[in-house]
Amino acid sequence: MRICFLNPRLCSDEVKHNVVNTMGTFQDLVAEKCVEYFERFRRQTYVTPKSYLSFIDGYKIIYSEKIAYVGMLAERMRTGLAKLNEAEESINLLSKELAVKEADLAVASIKADKVLQEVTEKAQAAEAVKAQVQKVKDKAQAIVDDIEADKAVAEGKLEAARPGLEAAEEALKDTITGEVVELLTPYLLMEDYNFETAKKVCGNVAGLCSWTLAMSDFFGINKEVLPLKANLKLQEARLGVAQTELNNAQQQLDDKQKELDEVQAMYNAARNEKQTLLDDADACRRKMNNATTLIEGLGGEKIRWTQSSKVFQSQIIRMVGDVLLATGFLSYSGPFNQEYRNLLIQLWKKEMSVNKIPYSEDINLISMLVDTTTISEWNLQGLPNDDLSIQNGIIVTKASRYPLLIDPQGQGKIWIKNREKLNDLQVRLPHSAVLSKYWVQF
């Protein structure tokens, strides 16, 4: 027959073949010891083909469970060691990366300091120029303001003289002189020298009278307006010059401000580059410190995990024989006392050694098949704490067949009642003895 459930990566074809043969030998050895056991203790026990089939089925189940459990623990160890190795590699990479970043940071610091010095020098020069230009601008602005005021006055006076000026402007324009006005003054002062009186005497004379009066008025007004016009032209010329100076000063200020903005942008870029490198270096340093702390904290664990990983790998290799012993114990040792149980285990070990099936020399079947927490529960439920009683508890709970307890002291009965109390245990008293599928010697 084939034991196809054995992992081909964990044992060779030869080992699998030997396991098949050794299973049959286990059954034969138990059959021999059943006869011997009867001869010594007058207790009849049997092994049947069904016992052998249960032995095989039990081996499949326990081997699958154990190999999965130990494999899971081994994978955890491998994963932990891989993470530690990754952390060590990360430290090396981060250390190299940090060295590069620190070198770049040093260059960036020098660059930033140089740019800062350049910015400071240009800023000081520009501020000095700006101060000078600002004075020119302020002076030009003051001149512009004065000229604007004078111009406003001149324009106001011209506006006041405009009505009379327009009345005579068509005829005289600016050709009347002071001598002409002086000759006319005696006539102009006469009471009857006006348009109404002259009209009564002669209509043509009235027109001439009106014309001379207008000429005199125009001269008086124009005498004041002409300087105003001349001054206005002068102020407008000065205003143009002052405005040009003001515009030039403003242009110089704008150029210097643009220059300041450019060097300030250069400094900001250098400073940002330095800060970025500084942040990167700090982040790299934190990662390296965290990884170093992890490695230092788990330094002892790495040694233990490495040893445990090797133990698990070795345990996986020996699992084929250890499970064979454990399954043989569960399948056949129930009816025997402690002496014969130990004898069977020694015979099985000897047989496995002959057939080169790997197993653990110091195997403890109790710790392999049940944990200490479960044993503590059993003790609280009334099961005695000796090895035989614990072995019986393992057989009762893990064997594939129903047990029949040979229990003269009632220890097994007390334990089962307490253990199954919450599971609606039902107790029946048979009319006659009925052989169970399995015997367990308490």
Side-chain angles (χ1 to χ4, degrees), residues 17 26 60 88 114-115 122 160 164 225 236 249 271 287 302 324 332 335 346 373 378 427 442:
H17 178 74
F26 274 27
K60 292 179 182 180
E88 291 177 348
K114 183 178 179 181
V115 173
K122 289 186 176 181
V225 167
E236 287 177 345
R271 184 183 61 184
K287 290 180 181 178
K302 181 179 181 180
L324 193 61
Y332 297 114
Q346 295 304 317
T373 303
W378 289 352
V427 179
F442 269 84

Side-chain angles (χ1 to χ4, degrees), residues 129-391:
V129 173
K130 282 179 65 178
Q132 295 176 356
V133 174
Q134 188 65 46
K135 292 180 180 179
V136 175
K137 180 182 176 183
D138 293 342
K139 183 178 180 181
Q141 186 65 52
I143 293 173
V144 169
D145 294 340
D146 292 340
I147 293 173
E148 289 286 355
D150 293 342
K151 182 181 176 184
V153 171
E155 289 177 344
K157 290 182 179 181
L158 283 174
E159 189 64 28
R162 188 177 300 279
L165 189 64
E166 290 177 351
E169 191 175 23
E170 292 184 1
L172 302 176
K173 297 307 174 186
D174 294 338
T175 59
I176 190 170
T177 64
E179 184 179 358
V180 175
V181 174
E182 186 178 353
L183 291 174
L184 289 174
T185 300
Y187 300 100
L188 298 175
L189 295 176
M190 294 180 180
E191 294 182 1
D192 55 354
Y193 194 83
N194 53 58
F195 177 77
E196 288 76 12
T197 304
K199 188 175 182 181
K200 293 178 182 180
V201 177
C202 179
N204 293 331
V205 174
L208 179 61
C209 179
S210 177
W211 179 80
T212 56
L213 287 170
M215 182 178 64
S216 177
D217 292 338
F218 174 77
F219 178 80
I221 295 172
N222 200 39
K223 184 179 181 180
E224 183 180 356
V225 167
L226 286 176
L228 291 175
K229 286 183 176 181
N231 183 55
L232 181 60
K233 289 182 180 180
L234 176 62
Q235 297 301 331
E236 287 177 345
R238 290 180 61 203
L239 179 61
V241 174
Q243 191 66 50
T244 300
E245 292 181 356
L246 181 61
N247 293 337
N248 291 336
Q250 185 62 51
Q251 184 62 44
Q252 291 182 37
L253 284 176
D254 294 340
D255 292 341
K256 288 301 176 181
Q257 187 60 50
K258 182 179 179 181
E259 184 178 341
L260 281 175
D261 293 340
E262 289 176 353
V263 294
Q264 185 64 42
M266 291 173 55
Y267 174 68
N268 291 339
R271 184 183 61 184
N272 292 337
E273 180 183 0
K274 177 182 176 181
Q275 188 62 45
T276 299
L277 289 172
L278 183 61
D279 294 340
D280 289 345
D282 289 341
C284 183
R285 193 176 293 105
R286 285 195 301 271
K287 290 180 181 178
M288 189 174 71
N289 291 337
N290 292 337
T292 302
T293 302
L294 176 64
I295 293 299
E296 292 175 353
L298 297 178
E301 293 298 320
K302 181 179 181 180
I303 298 175
R304 187 176 67 83
W305 290 353
T306 302
Q307 295 173 345
S308 298
S309 181
K310 294 179 180 179
V311 170
F312 286 139
Q313 294 303 320
S314 176
Q315 189 175 353
I316 288 174
I317 294 174
R318 300 192 305 270
M319 189 66 67
V320 59
D322 292 346
V323 173
L324 193 61
L325 283 174
T327 311
F329 169 78
L330 289 175
S331 301
Y332 297 114
S333 63
F336 298 101
N337 58 19
Q338 189 68 65
E339 177 187 351
Y340 268 73
R341 289 180 182 180
N342 294 335
L343 177 61
L344 285 173
I345 290 174
Q346 295 304 317
L347 292 174
W348 291 339
K349 284 184 177 181
K350 182 179 179 180
E351 188 64 26
M352 286 193 299
S353 297
V354 171
N355 288 278
K356 298 180 180 179
I357 298 175
Y359 68 94
S360 302
E361 285 287 348
D362 57 348
I363 183 173
N364 187 323
L365 294 178
I366 291 178
S367 60
M368 180 180 178
L369 293 172
V370 69
D371 56 74
T372 55
T373 303
T374 302
I375 293 175
S376 298
E377 280 186 34
W378 289 352
N379 296 150
L380 293 175
Q381 293 163 354
L383 185 69
N385 198 30
D386 59 279
D387 285 350
L388 179 63
S389 298
I390 294 174
Q391 289 176 0

Side-chain angles (χ1 to χ4, degrees), residues 6-16 19 63 317 320 358:
L6 290 175
N7 193 323
R9 294 177 298 176
L10 304 180
C11 59
S12 63
D13 292 337
E14 180 184 3
V15 171
K16 289 190 286 185
V19 167
Y63 182 82
I317 294 174
V320 59

